[in-house]
Amino acid sequence: MITFYPDIKLVHIGAALTSGTLFALRGLGLSLGMRWPRVAPLRYLSYTVDTVLLTAAMMLLTILPAGVFANGWLIVKVGFILAYVVLGVLAFQPARARLSRVALYAAALLCFLQVYGIARAHHPMGLLALLG
Ligand code: HEM
């Protein structure tokens, strides 16, 4: 399996960037009061990309030795992913006031950036560790 590690990681990174871009664009559209972000093909595209992202993540997990996660970066990353998913779901709820949806969307985007930074830095501080 280790032979395929670089390819699986590439799929994971590609899916992560696509997933984040789709979320950012759909959230922006909803914040501006547009309807296209809710159309079924876009929603199904998001589900598909997220399934690829998580499948590749599980494959990476089974290949890597546990020592790679020694400083706890993966646990913190999963925590921010959970926050990102919850905030994202709340941000897309049509019943909420627009201002509250925009605030939730902005918070979800910050969580996504932190997930990305943690993954890149292999450090629980994520982007802050990269800056420092
Ligand atoms: C929003 C969701 C996610 C994003 C944005 C994301 C982002 C990334 C990025 C950018 C990398 C490459 C890091 C590098 O250059 O070394 C990476 C690697 C990795 N991710 Fe994710 N990821 C996400 C979800 C997950 C999940 C849910 C898991 C597992 C619980 C996971 C496990 C891993 C593992 C094991 C690696 C390999 C690290 C290495 O090769 O050293 N990721 N992720």
Side-chain angles (χ1 to χ4, degrees):
M1 269 304 250
I2 193 75
T3 322
F4 299 112
Y5 189 84
D7 299 317
I8 300 169
K9 188 163 154 177
L10 208 62
V11 170
H12 182 68
I13 297 173
L17 287 173
T18 311
S19 170
T21 306
L22 273 174
F23 177 78
L25 290 177
R26 289 180 65 212
L28 188 66
L30 283 180
S31 302
L32 296 173
M34 295 172 174
R35 286 191 193 178
W36 61 261
R38 290 193 196 285
V39 299
L42 261 188
R43 278 192 285 123
Y44 289 123
L45 180 64
S46 280
Y47 301 151
T48 309
V49 171
D50 290 348
T51 306
V52 172
L53 172 64
L54 288 182
T55 308
M58 293 307 124
M59 291 170 85
L60 293 175
L61 268 187
T62 55
I63 301 171
L64 280 180
V68 175
F69 311 113
N71 70 2
W73 67 270
L74 189 67
I75 293 170
V76 180
K77 176 173 154 173
V78 172
F80 273 101
I81 290 170
L82 288 178
Y84 165 62
V85 171
V86 172
L87 291 167
V89 168
L90 295 178
F92 279 19
Q93 281 177 344
R96 280 180 194 281
R98 168 138 1 146
L99 195 63
S100 123
R101 277 193 279 122
V102 171
L104 288 161
Y105 164 63
L109 273 185
L110 284 178
C111 285
F112 182 87
L113 285 178
Q114 184 63 351
V115 169
Y116 207 88
I118 290 171
R120 292 289 298 153
H122 286 195
H123 192 287
M125 295 289 280
L127 292 175
L128 300 177
L130 287 177
L131 292 175

